[in-house]
Amino acid sequence: MKMQWCWRCKIEVPMLDDDEFEKAQLLYSEGLKNIKGNLNKRQKQFKNLLEFYFELTGYHESEPNAIMHHQISQYGPPCEDCGKPYRTPNAKFCAACGHKRD
């Protein structure tokens, strides 16, 4: 786990490494099996995932879907100019500052 900028959330959040993310995916799948659509029920259905993320990161996430894009390897390295991560490992330029990747 490490703190990193998230393009969707527009803030720095705890990002999971691949092993942590694999466990989170399993818990997310469990929650999807019984989805009902109501937000309060959704938070109960994904309780194990939300608790796992909190125990691991100390960060209270209320949206289970957000955790599914908080994986370090989904992002590229930090931009050489501004320091925010490239949106993908293969990105050719930084969306934040426009720096062209070497």
Side-chain angles (χ1 to χ4, degrees):
M1 189 277 307
K2 81 173 195 180
M3 294 299 289
Q4 183 172 296
W5 178 261
C6 174
W7 293 103
R8 290 181 181 104
C9 298
K10 308 275 190 246
I11 59 171
E12 279 202 3
V13 296
M15 294 279 183
L16 305 178
D17 66 28
D18 290 340
D19 291 334
E20 296 163 339
F21 190 77
E22 187 177 332
K23 292 174 189 169
Q25 278 185 308
L26 291 173
L27 295 170
Y28 184 77
S29 294
E30 285 177 15
L32 285 176
K33 290 178 184 175
N34 300 314
I35 197 154
K36 305 284 190 243
N38 181 305
L39 180 59
N40 291 332
K41 287 183 182 177
R42 281 189 57 196
Q43 288 183 344
K44 288 179 185 174
Q45 288 166 228
F46 290 101
K47 180 179 185 230
N48 292 339
L49 171 63
L50 298 172
E51 286 179 355
F52 169 75
Y53 190 72
F54 175 72
E55 288 172 12
L56 193 62
T57 67
Y59 187 86
H60 285 284
E61 179 58 67
S62 60
E63 177 51 58
N65 293 333
I67 296 170
M68 293 297 98
H69 65 258
H70 291 166
Q71 180 184 20
I72 296 167
S73 63
Q74 290 179 17
Y75 296 82
C79 171
E80 298 83 0
D81 195 42
C82 73
K84 289 185 178 172
Y86 288 96
R87 287 191 180 180
T88 70
N90 298 323
K92 301 291 184 204
F93 73 96
C94 177
C97 71
H99 176 76
K100 290 186 181 178
R101 191 171 173 185
D102 296 328

